[in-house]
């Protein structure tokens, strides 16, 4: 089973700053099958990025994804107040198995 | 409009079997480009994928929970059912169903979730 490790656990930033979130896989992941989600308290997750770099419908262009192999990154170019939330990466691989990372909380500094 | 809605018991006793139903609308369970996943989230913890099922009845389960899970679908009723046997207090969580796209295996529409507490 592929393990996804997200870092940092918590990111303390101010509105307007750039956020860089990391997702590292224990073995190579197909870029086609790497996704990112945003979750706010009391809400279901929302798909942000699929295929490592494609934005889901309605997602603002300040969200971008990149990476390949075992290292993937979610970047929020300028944090808006509504972007403070927990972010999860997810992969789909052989077996077939699907796993989530442990999450990164982006909090207001 | 695509929606998914989870239903099931709020409280189950240890050792009992949990049965959850996901009722979907706005898409068909016979659509080859999509399937339905179940995911859970214990209070304050991360998301955990449980299982998914596709239009051709292909099913996959979490390795760690495989012996306890069964997923099935009734296309005519637009429902996906997940059963989990031998429930334990550590299974207390919010359980979500979500539509999964076979193009990229991301989950693009989620239900609101249903909270299940395991306690005697």
């Amino acid at each position: 089973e592929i393990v996804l490790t997200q870092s940092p656990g918590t990111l303390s930033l101010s509105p307007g700053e750039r956020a860089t979130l990391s997702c590292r896989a224990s073995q190579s992941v197909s870029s086609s099958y790497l996704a990112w989600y945003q979750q706010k308290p009391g809400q279901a997750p929302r798909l942000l990025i699929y295929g490592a770099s494609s934005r889901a419908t309605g997602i603002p262009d300040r969200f971008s994804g990149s990476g390949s192999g075992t290292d993937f990154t979610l970047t929020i170019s300028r944090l808006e107040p509504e972007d403070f939330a927990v972010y999860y990466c997810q992969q789909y691989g052989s077996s077939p198995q699907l796993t989530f990372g442990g999450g990164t909380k982006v909090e207001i500094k | 409009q695509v929606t998914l809605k989870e239903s099931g018991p709020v409280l189950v006793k240890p050792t009992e079997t949990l049965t959850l139903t996901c009722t979907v609308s706005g898409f068909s369970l016979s659509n080859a480009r999509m399937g339905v996943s179940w995911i859970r989230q214990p209070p304050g913890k991360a998301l955990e994928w449980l299982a998914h099922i596709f239009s051709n009845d292909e099913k996959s389960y979490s390795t760690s929970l495989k012996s306890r899970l069964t997923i099935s679908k009734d296309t005519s009723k637009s429902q996906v059912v997940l059963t989990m046997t031998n429930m334990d207090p550590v299974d207390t969580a919010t359980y979500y169903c979500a539509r999964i796209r076979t193009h990229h295996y991301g989950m693009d529409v989620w239900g609101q979730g249903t909270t299940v507490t395991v306690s005697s």
Side-chain angles (χ1 to χ4, degrees):
Chain A
E1 178 180 302
I2 296 177
V3 175
L4 299 179
T5 301
Q6 292 187 240
S7 61
T10 302
L11 198 51
S12 298
L13 295 168
S14 301
E17 290 194 294
R18 182 184 187 89
T20 303
L21 287 66
S22 173
C23 176
R24 180 160 291 175
S26 59
Q27 54 187 282
S28 187
V29 171
S30 168
S31 296
S32 297
Y33 303 147
L34 192 289
W36 290 91
Y37 300 85
Q38 177 193 67
Q39 187 179 33
K40 297 179 181 179
Q43 296 184 17
R46 175 175 71 146
L47 178 66
L48 297 175
I49 300 287
Y50 64 88
S53 60
S54 298
R55 275 187 299 277
T57 303
I59 302 303
D61 61 6
R62 64 180 181 273
F63 291 92
S64 63
S66 63
S68 64
T70 60
D71 289 297
F72 297 88
T73 300
L74 174 69
T75 301
I76 310 171
S77 59
R78 288 177 56 85
L79 282 164
E80 297 288 341
E82 62 267 27
D83 298 336
F84 291 91
V86 180
Y87 293 83
Y88 294 96
C89 57
Q90 170 244 306
Q91 69 83 32
Y92 173 86
S94 60
S95 297
Q97 285 288 300
L98 189 152
T99 53
F100 288 94
T104 290
K105 181 180 181 180
V106 178
E107 66 175 22
I108 299 175
K109 186 174 182 180
Chain B
Q1 181 187 9
V2 174
T3 64
L4 299 92
K5 186 173 177 65
E6 306 88 350
S7 58
V10 174
L11 179 67
V12 297
K13 291 181 168 55
T15 76
E16 287 186 340
T17 294
L18 172 68
T19 299
L20 295 173
T21 300
C22 177
T23 303
V24 311
S25 63
F27 72 101
S28 172
L29 296 177
S30 63
N31 190 323
R33 294 174 294 176
M34 39 196 78
V36 172
S37 287
W38 283 96
I39 306 96
R40 72 178 179 180
Q41 186 172 37
K45 296 190 177 181
L47 301 168
E48 178 183 20
W49 172 74
L50 301 177
H52 58 230
I53 188 167
F54 294 107
S55 61
N56 60 358
D57 217 38
E58 174 192 339
K59 303 164 188 174
S60 296
Y61 297 99
S62 164
T63 301
S64 60
L65 293 167
K66 186 172 185 177
S67 63
R68 299 173 55 205
L69 296 173
T70 303
I71 192 169
S72 63
K73 64 180 175 70
D74 185 330
T75 302
S76 65
K77 292 183 178 179
S78 296
Q79 292 181 333
V80 174
V81 175
L82 181 76
T83 63
M84 181 180 292
T85 60
N86 195 25
M87 294 291 284
D88 183 272
V90 300
D91 296 314
T92 294
T94 297
Y95 287 75
Y96 296 99
C97 61
R99 185 175 75 171
I100 183 169
R101 306 296 297 269
T102 57
H103 172 57
H104 50 71
Y105 294 97
M107 287 168 266
D108 66 341
V109 185
W110 292 63
Q112 64 189 20
T114 186
T115 299
V116 178
T117 300
V118 184
S119 175
S120 55

